[in-house]
Amino acid sequence: MSLFKKWMMRSASEPVVSVQDNRLALTHLRKLFADFRHPTAKATQKDQEDRLYSMLPIFCKVFENSPSSEMTEKFQDILQFCSHVSKLMVTEIRRRASNQSTEAASCAIVSFLEAETTEENGNGWMLLGSLNLLSMGTQALTDCMTAASLPSTLVKCLYLFFDLPDLEGGDIMEPGTNFTPKERRILLQKITRGFVQVLVRLCNHVSPAEELARKDDLILLFSAITSWCPAQNVMWRKSAAEVLVTLSRHGLTSTVVKYIHEKGCVRHCIENMQRIQELSPIELVEMFVSVFCFLKDSSEVSQILLDDFRQSQGYIYLSEFLLRLEQDEDESAKQALRNLILLVGSLTTCGYQEMKPTQASTGSLFTMPGFSLPQPTGKGVSVRNIQAFQVLQTAFLKGLKSHMCSTILDVISSIYHQDSANYFILEPQHTLSQFAEKIYLKPLEVQDKFFELLEFIVFDLNFVPCKELISLSILIKSPHSLECSILCMKSLLKIIRSHPMYKDVFREVGLLEVIVTCLHRYAALLKEPHEASDNQEHIPIDKEQHELGFLVMEALSVLLSGNNLNAGVFRECGGARCSHNMVPYTDCRQQALNIVQQLVLSPGGDDDMGTLLGLMHTAPILSLELKTHILKSLLNVLRESHRTRTVFRKVGGFVYVMSVLVSMEGCLEDPPKAPWDAVKRQDVLNMLRTVFSTLTVAMRYEPANAKFFATEVRYDSLTEAVRLLGCFSTTIDIQPTEDNMEEGKTSEVLEDFFSNAKENRLKKEVPQILLSGCLMIRYLYDMALDTFDKPAIGVGQKCDSPSMKRFTVIEAPSPQSSPKQKRASTGSISLPMAPQPDHVIVHPGAVMSIFHLLPAIEYHESMQMAQELQLYVADKIKNMLRTEKNQQIMCDAGFPHELLSHGGVALADESHPLHDPLQHTFERLSSQSLTPRDLRDFLRLGAPLNCQSVDEVYGCNCSLAINPWREVAGMEEKKPTNDVDKKSV
């Protein structure tokens, strides 16, 4: 059975006093006390004491279950009674302590105060119970006890109890007793009627504290809480701490504070803790807790005691103790360390004088928009004790264990969070900048918390921490820890992206140069395996090194984006050359190209674009992946900037890209020949599409570029380069057919493939060489209409934004196609919307190239499919000329002449499969414009009435033919109106 349960059972077994009995007992108590106050002449001191002892049980029974106010109301002599009882306790204690050793005195006093074994409790226990009841009364009762020197006497007893010997047979219950000796000792210390409770209740008032100071006994409490004692007496030291903390909350008057300062009580505590070697770390933590609680309470009334602690080197000793306690791996020690750090954190907000941040503490080179220096919130949350914070700072810098460093960061974070002004008050301490220099030595968990704290300064306080960023630059420049550098770069990336100003901040604090240094370091790692000789062992690059390198390159891309000054510094540091040299490495190519893109977009990017194009030109023929990536990177910058499109022309970009196309000769042959048999077909197709897309985008919104390509590079060269890819023959003119083509069944398949470019979705098998030809026609078609990565734009619509990309393309249904709407081009979305107006031809030379390649679509093993593809392409050309604007554009480009020169056979032969689409095309063109020469050539088709030109007769064995006058009549009947005859469509 537990001690407290036994005590409660014993209390419950006592008979309940009725109201009537209580009144009688109170009357009897009054009479006894009146007799006591007027003793006879023969009454000795012992007789008086016995009379008083006889009143104590009655007093306890009357008032133990009553409110404390009833003592004054029902017992008018309570003050005199209290004075006599207090004096009796003081007399008894002095009587037993006089002329005795500390051990003998403490044993005698404890024996007097402990509960007896019989139901009639001992005099000391009853006296103590009475004082307990009286201590719950008014201030006047406390003053009576204080006047009798009871507080100082009890404190002396408490100090003597440190010398109590260990109880022999403490767990053996003697016959006729309810408690063992050990239980009686605990009752004296802890139970409501116990010794400590009297002292604690007394110290809730001011007068006991002043009496302790006046009697010079207050220093005993300070000595008690920091003194060594045997294990069996530790509870008395805890009791002393409880009394002292209570006194600090209620009794710190100016007199008491002056006494503590003049007697050096705080210094005495620090010296005790440093001097006594027997104290365990846990005991020292408890002592620090007691001292800190006292200091916290004292700061409410005065700064003197905090200054005493500082002058006694208390903060230095505290820092040393934290580092010593960190080494203890016991779980209880870790918990004690955590509690102590939390208490030190709370001590940072303790102080009598308010501290405010100064403008000098925000001496940053940059100020964020909307930033204003915060002011302290007030007592309890704002920092007022710099020395306590320095303890945390010192312990973190010197500590190594995760549990301590992590707890310190948590405490510092809570300090920063609870008042925005705290960071600026503490800014002169350079806390985070010092932490940054040593953070690589800490565990990863601690590193994470540190960078979160730094991000709080940036994002929540809206402040630019230049000193901290400079420290981070030192951290990542010295490759101490890959993991730490990775975390640092991730945090820096978040900061860069938070506001454009940080791009300038990183340049001014030197972070940009440091990150470029990291780029050089990563480039060197990539270069080493490639330079290693065959007999040298190849050491692979760590995954962490790659991750760090990617983060560095990503940060550089963000820093260079839209910041010309950063681009200049980057070039001066050799970053541009390094980035270009990293492009060939597959591991980091995309990241390197991202950096180069930003360089190209910045002023002075001409050389960077030329270098990138030169790299593509010098790459091996089969390095399609490298070339594709470079062209896609160029595509990104060409879409974004007018200047880069102009630079592209000036540095010979069109020639470089055309050279890539020329170098791919034979890549689309079926079956492919060396070296193209070692390359995936999809890689080849991706490369070709990127080439056409690059050429098209480079001319977008740039008339000068379009003119340069048409006149200097020439579409004839483009046509020949495409012809040499291997999917077209060398045929230049449309050839006559021997037999009529059967009714086609492939048009729907071709339409689907032309729209989607998905070979795996074909409903009918089509020879691969024809599919390749169809794709090339599609790329030229997109080039002609400038529909690479653009929305469908109809007649009369304009799009002036160069950045439009990845929109839906809606095809207008052709006569041969199904009336059902077709799927959009690759990578786009097919939307169920109304048919859009036809596209405007942007590059008529591309249409001419399509027409020039039309006769070259041949496949002798399946002439039927080849002719169907020719017919499909001819229909596409015809459909592009629906609008008068497109007709006028093609007439200005001389398309009628080309049509007559290379398609005369089909125009002259009504039975030719291509006759109808070419005839309709020619009619549409002739309705807009037709030169006399083209008219003569048309009239001479088939050499009617032997009307061939003399130059054409020689060397030609032509039979006379009759020009179909129906076609001529059809031309004559064409009305030059805005509406085209629907029958001709």
Side-chain angles (χ1 to χ4, degrees):
M1 183 181 299
S2 68
L3 170 62
F4 292 100
K5 190 173 182 180
K6 290 168 64 176
W7 175 259
M8 295 304 296
M9 290 179 62
R10 175 171 175 171
S11 299
S13 63
E14 295 178 0
V16 178
V17 181
S18 64
V19 176
Q20 185 64 30
D21 292 340
N22 199 4
R23 289 176 180 172
L24 292 173
L26 179 59
T27 303
H28 184 52
L29 175 63
R30 291 170 180 164
K31 183 178 183 304
L32 290 177
F33 188 67
D35 295 340
F36 173 81
R37 289 176 59 192
H38 302 90
T40 61
K42 296 182 181 180
T44 63
Q45 181 180 355
K46 186 175 184 309
D47 294 336
Q48 288 291 91
E49 291 176 357
D50 290 340
R51 287 185 177 183
L52 193 56
Y53 277 125
S54 66
M55 288 184 274
L56 295 180
I58 302 173
F59 175 79
C60 289
K61 287 185 180 181
V62 171
F63 294 109
E64 65 180 350
N65 295 318
S66 302
S68 59
S69 58
E70 288 189 4
M71 288 189 293
T72 305
E73 296 172 359
K74 296 181 179 180
F75 190 24
Q76 288 76 16
D77 296 327
I78 189 64
L79 293 178
Q80 295 178 4
F81 179 80
C82 176
S83 178
H84 286 291
V85 172
S86 301
K87 289 177 181 179
L88 179 59
M89 174 64 83
V90 170
T91 300
E92 293 285 9
I93 292 174
R94 288 176 177 175
R95 185 178 295 157
R96 286 163 176 76
S98 178
N99 299 322
Q100 300 286 333
S101 65
T102 55
E103 181 177 337
S106 61
C107 290
I109 295 170
V110 164
S111 177
F112 169 69
L113 295 177
E114 283 182 346
E116 292 291 342
T117 58
T118 60
E119 287 191 5
E120 294 95 11
N121 292 330
N123 289 338
W125 181 250
M126 187 58 63
L127 184 60
L128 192 60
S130 301
L131 288 173
N132 253 305
L133 290 176
L134 291 168
S135 66
M136 292 187 290
T138 61
Q139 175 70 41
L141 292 175
T142 303
D143 292 341
C144 285
M145 289 186 274
T146 302
S149 301
L150 180 64
S152 58
T153 303
L154 294 181
V155 166
K156 289 185 179 77
C157 290
L158 184 61
Y159 192 71
L160 286 174
F161 290 164
F162 277 50
D163 293 329
L164 284 171
D166 193 12
L167 292 171
E168 296 182 2
D171 295 324
I172 300 175
M173 186 178 296
E174 299 175 1
T177 61
N178 296 321
F179 303 103
T180 63
K182 186 176 181 180
E183 289 174 342
R184 291 201 299 271
R185 185 69 50 85
I186 295 174
L187 285 174
L188 176 64
Q189 198 264 339
K190 288 187 176 181
I191 296 300
T192 306
R193 295 173 64 180
F195 175 86
V196 177
Q197 288 300 319
V198 177
L199 259 178
V200 169
R201 290 193 178 118
L202 288 175
C203 289
N204 279 317
H205 302 276
V206 174
S207 55
E210 293 184 340
E211 191 260 348
L212 289 175
R214 189 170 56 254
K215 294 290 186 68
D216 197 20
D217 290 328
L218 184 55
I219 193 173
L220 295 178
L221 285 177
F222 285 93
S223 179
I225 64 171
T226 55
S227 296
W228 178 87
C229 63
Q232 72 271 11
N233 295 329
V234 170
M235 60 180 181
W236 296 113
R237 187 170 63 209
K238 293 181 179 179
S239 300
E242 183 181 359
V243 173
L244 187 61
V245 170
T246 305
L247 186 147
S248 69
R249 291 173 182 168
H250 305 283
L252 284 182
T253 62
S254 57
T255 303
V256 176
V257 171
K258 182 180 179 181
Y259 167 84
I260 296 172
H261 170 66
E262 291 178 349
K263 295 293 290 187
C265 296
V266 176
R267 185 189 70 254
H268 183 65
C269 290
I270 302 301
E271 291 174 351
N272 279 352
M273 289 189 286
Q274 290 177 307
R275 184 180 67 255
I276 303 174
Q277 302 297 322
E278 295 88 349
L279 295 175
S280 67
I282 304 299
E283 288 179 309
L284 284 172
V285 170
E286 293 175 352
M287 294 177 185
F288 270 119
V289 171
S290 302
V291 172
F292 286 166
C293 289
F294 187 86
L295 292 176
K296 283 182 63 178
D297 294 330
S298 73
S299 66
E300 298 288 332
V301 296
S302 173
Q303 184 71 22
I304 294 176
L305 300 185
L306 281 173
D307 292 339
D308 288 348
F309 187 80
R310 174 178 55 80
Q311 293 169 1
S312 303
Q313 309 299 320
Y315 294 109
I316 296 175
Y317 173 63
L318 177 58
S319 301
E320 296 171 351
F321 176 72
L322 287 175
L323 294 172
R324 191 165 71 248
L325 187 59
E326 178 195 27
Q327 305 304 319
D328 195 334
E329 294 295 334
D330 185 67
E331 195 61 36
S332 60
K334 290 181 179 179
Q335 187 60 39
L337 176 62
R338 174 178 172 78
N339 294 336
L340 184 56
I341 292 173
L342 293 174
L343 193 57
V344 174
S346 66
L347 197 62
T348 60
T349 60
C350 298
Y352 190 70
Q353 299 172 349
E354 184 181 54
M355 303 183 71
K356 292 185 177 181
T358 62
Q359 290 296 332
S361 64
T362 60
S364 176
L365 297 173
F366 298 87
T367 303
M368 294 295 290
F371 172 78
S372 61
L373 185 63
Q375 296 302 310
T377 303
K379 189 179 295 185
V381 292
S382 302
V383 170
R384 296 188 173 191
N385 189 344
I386 298 295
Q387 290 75 25
F389 187 84
Q390 288 174 339
V391 170
L392 299 175
Q393 186 170 322
T394 302
F396 182 88
L397 290 172
K398 295 182 178 180
L400 296 174
K401 298 298 180 65
S402 175
H403 62 275
M404 185 180 81
C405 294
S406 181
T407 304
I408 291 176
L409 281 183
D410 288 338
V411 171
I412 293 177
S413 178
S414 67
I415 292 172
Y416 287 167
H417 278 77
Q418 68 191 14
D419 190 346
S420 298
N422 284 345
Y423 169 79
F424 301 99
I425 295 173
L426 297 167
E427 202 274 340
Q429 308 305 314
H430 312 303
T431 305
L432 296 185
S433 58
Q434 292 187 49
F435 285 5
E437 296 174 4
K438 300 289 185 181
I439 192 64
Y440 69 92
L441 298 171
K442 312 301 179 184
L444 282 177
E445 176 192 359
V446 178
Q447 295 176 14
D448 270 330
K449 291 188 176 183
F450 168 76
F451 290 113
E452 288 176 3
L453 191 55
L454 181 64
E455 291 166 16
F456 164 78
I457 306 302
V458 174
F459 303 140
D460 291 52
L461 299 185
N462 199 30
F463 179 70
V464 181
C466 289
K467 295 176 183 176
E468 288 81 352
L469 293 176
I470 292 172
S471 298
L472 290 184
S473 68
I474 298 172
L475 172 68
I476 60 177
K477 187 175 183 179
S478 306
H480 297 295
S481 167
L482 280 175
E483 293 83 358
C484 184
S485 297
I486 289 171
L487 290 175
C488 180
M489 286 307 305
K490 287 180 178 178
S491 182
L492 290 177
L493 263 172
K494 294 179 185 177
I495 294 173
I496 299 170
R497 292 192 173 108
S498 66
H499 197 278
M501 181 186 290
Y502 278 101
K503 296 178 183 180
D504 297 322
V505 173
F506 276 44
R507 180 185 66 252
E508 294 299 327
V509 301
L511 259 172
L512 177 57
E513 290 89 338
V514 172
I515 296 176
V516 175
T517 302
C518 295
L519 179 68
H520 284 291
R521 190 185 303 149
Y522 179 55
L525 289 173
L526 293 172
K527 192 176 181 181
E528 287 175 1
H530 294 273
E531 291 183 346
S533 59
D534 296 336
N535 56 356
Q536 288 180 332
E537 184 180 356
H538 172 65
I539 302 176
I541 301 177
D542 293 340
K543 181 180 178 182
E544 290 81 7
Q545 290 172 330
H546 274 305
E547 184 179 1
L548 177 59
F550 293 163
L551 290 169
V552 165
M553 299 174 84
E554 186 178 356
L556 287 171
S557 297
V558 179
L559 286 170
L560 297 177
S561 176
N563 195 299
N564 300 332
L565 293 176
N566 282 0
V569 173
F570 183 74
R571 289 191 179 94
E572 291 173 3
C573 297
R577 182 179 179 183
C578 181
S579 301
H580 285 293
N581 292 337
M582 296 174 74
V583 171
Y585 300 122
T586 308
D587 294 336
C588 63
R589 180 177 299 155
Q590 192 56 56
Q591 290 79 7
L593 286 173
N594 289 340
I595 295 176
V596 175
Q597 285 179 37
Q598 302 305 326
L599 291 173
V600 172
L601 287 170
S602 66
D606 306 25
D607 294 338
D608 296 290
M609 181 177 284
T611 304
L612 197 59
L613 289 167
L615 174 62
M616 180 181 65
H617 180 68
T618 57
I621 294 177
L622 297 184
S623 297
L624 296 185
E625 186 180 20
L626 172 60
K627 295 178 181 179
T628 303
H629 288 160
I630 291 176
L631 285 178
K632 287 183 177 180
S633 179
L634 285 174
L635 267 173
N636 291 332
V637 298
L638 291 172
R639 291 190 188 103
E640 295 297 327
S641 169
H642 157 74
R643 190 191 65 81
T644 55
R645 294 192 288 272
T646 303
V647 170
F648 182 79
R649 180 187 77 246
K650 292 180 178 179
V651 300
F654 288 109
V655 177
Y656 280 115
V657 176
M658 283 297 299
S659 68
V660 172
L661 188 61
V662 172
S663 69
M664 298 182 71
E665 179 179 351
C667 64
L668 293 180
E669 291 184 357
D670 188 22
K673 298 178 182 178
W676 299 107
D677 54 348
V679 182
K680 293 181 181 179
R681 172 177 168 82
Q682 190 58 43
D683 294 341
V684 173
L685 296 179
N686 288 339
M687 180 73 214
L688 290 171
R689 188 182 191 283
T690 308
V691 166
F692 282 98
S693 180
T694 304
L695 293 173
T696 305
V697 174
M699 295 185 285
R700 184 174 294 167
Y701 312 111
E702 302 294 336
N705 284 13
K707 182 179 180 181
F708 177 85
F709 186 83
T711 57
E712 300 296 330
V713 181
R714 301 183 62 82
Y715 283 97
D716 292 342
S717 302
L718 177 63
T719 305
E720 291 307 312
V722 174
R723 190 189 301 275
L724 293 175
L725 292 177
C727 57
F728 296 100
S729 68
T730 57
T731 304
I732 297 175
D733 299 326
I734 295 175
Q735 302 298 312
T737 56
E738 297 179 359
D739 301 320
N740 292 332
M741 185 179 68
E742 298 178 2
E743 184 178 355
K745 300 179 180 179
T746 318
S747 60
E748 185 176 348
V749 176
L750 292 175
E751 173 66 24
D752 184 59
F753 180 70
F754 190 84
S755 301
N756 299 306
K758 300 291 185 181
E759 296 182 5
N760 56 350
R761 294 184 181 180
L762 295 178
K763 299 178 182 178
K764 181 180 179 180
E765 186 176 353
V766 180
Q768 193 173 78
I769 196 166
L770 294 181
L771 292 177
S772 299
C774 184
L775 271 179
M776 294 305 102
I777 297 297
R778 170 59 195 269
Y779 295 158
L780 286 168
Y781 177 86
D782 288 340
M783 185 179 187
L785 301 178
D786 193 9
T787 54
F788 278 106
D789 303 328
K790 282 187 63 177
I793 302 176
V795 179
Q797 293 178 332
K798 294 183 179 180
C799 180
D800 298 324
S801 174
S803 60
M804 294 181 66
K805 56 185 83 171
R806 296 186 179 89
F807 290 101
T808 304
V809 177
I810 305 296
E811 294 280 2
S814 64
Q816 287 80 9
S817 66
S818 170
K820 182 172 62 176
Q821 186 180 353
K822 297 300 177 182
R823 187 183 294 269
S825 61
T826 306
S828 61
I829 308 171
S830 180
L831 300 178
M833 58 174 63
Q836 297 291 326
D838 295 284
H839 293 282
V840 177
I841 294 175
V842 180
H843 303 295
V847 181
M848 306 277 272
S849 295
I850 295 174
F851 177 72
H852 290 155
L853 291 172
L854 179 61
I857 301 176
E858 294 180 344
Y859 187 60
H860 297 292
E861 297 180 10
S862 180
M863 293 299 296
Q864 171 70 21
M865 283 193 177
Q867 289 178 355
E868 289 185 24
L869 180 55
Q870 284 184 341
L871 180 58
Y872 178 78
V873 173
D875 282 333
K876 280 292 178 184
I877 296 174
K878 180 192 69 174
N879 292 336
M880 282 194 286
L881 299 178
R882 280 188 176 137
T883 63
E884 289 192 13
K885 185 172 183 178
N886 284 352
Q887 295 165 14
Q888 294 165 3
I889 291 172
M890 293 311 299
C891 284
D892 293 340
F895 189 37
H897 178 73
E898 296 297 319
L899 193 60
L900 292 170
S901 299
H902 301 288
V905 172
L907 287 172
D909 185 1
E910 289 187 354
S911 63
H912 197 286
L914 300 179
H915 175 79
D916 285 343
L918 294 186
Q919 176 65 24
H920 284 110
T921 301
F922 187 74
E923 289 176 0
R924 289 172 174 174
L925 293 172
S926 63
S927 67
Q928 297 297 330
S929 175
L930 200 61
T931 64
R933 178 186 174 184
D934 293 339
L935 178 58
R936 286 194 298 270
D937 289 343
F938 176 74
L939 293 175
R940 287 174 178 152
L941 286 177
L945 303 177
N946 199 20
C947 63
Q948 278 184 302
S949 173
V950 176
D951 296 334
E952 297 176 1
V953 173
Y954 294 101
C956 178
N957 185 17
C958 298
S959 59
L960 295 177
I962 300 175
N963 189 24
W965 291 105
R966 180 184 62 81
E967 298 176 10
V968 178
M971 286 175 50
E972 292 294 332
E973 293 173 0
K974 280 293 178 182
K975 298 178 181 180
T977 61
N978 293 330
D979 297 327
V980 180
D981 187 359
K982 293 181 179 179
K983 293 182 179 179
S984 65
V985 181

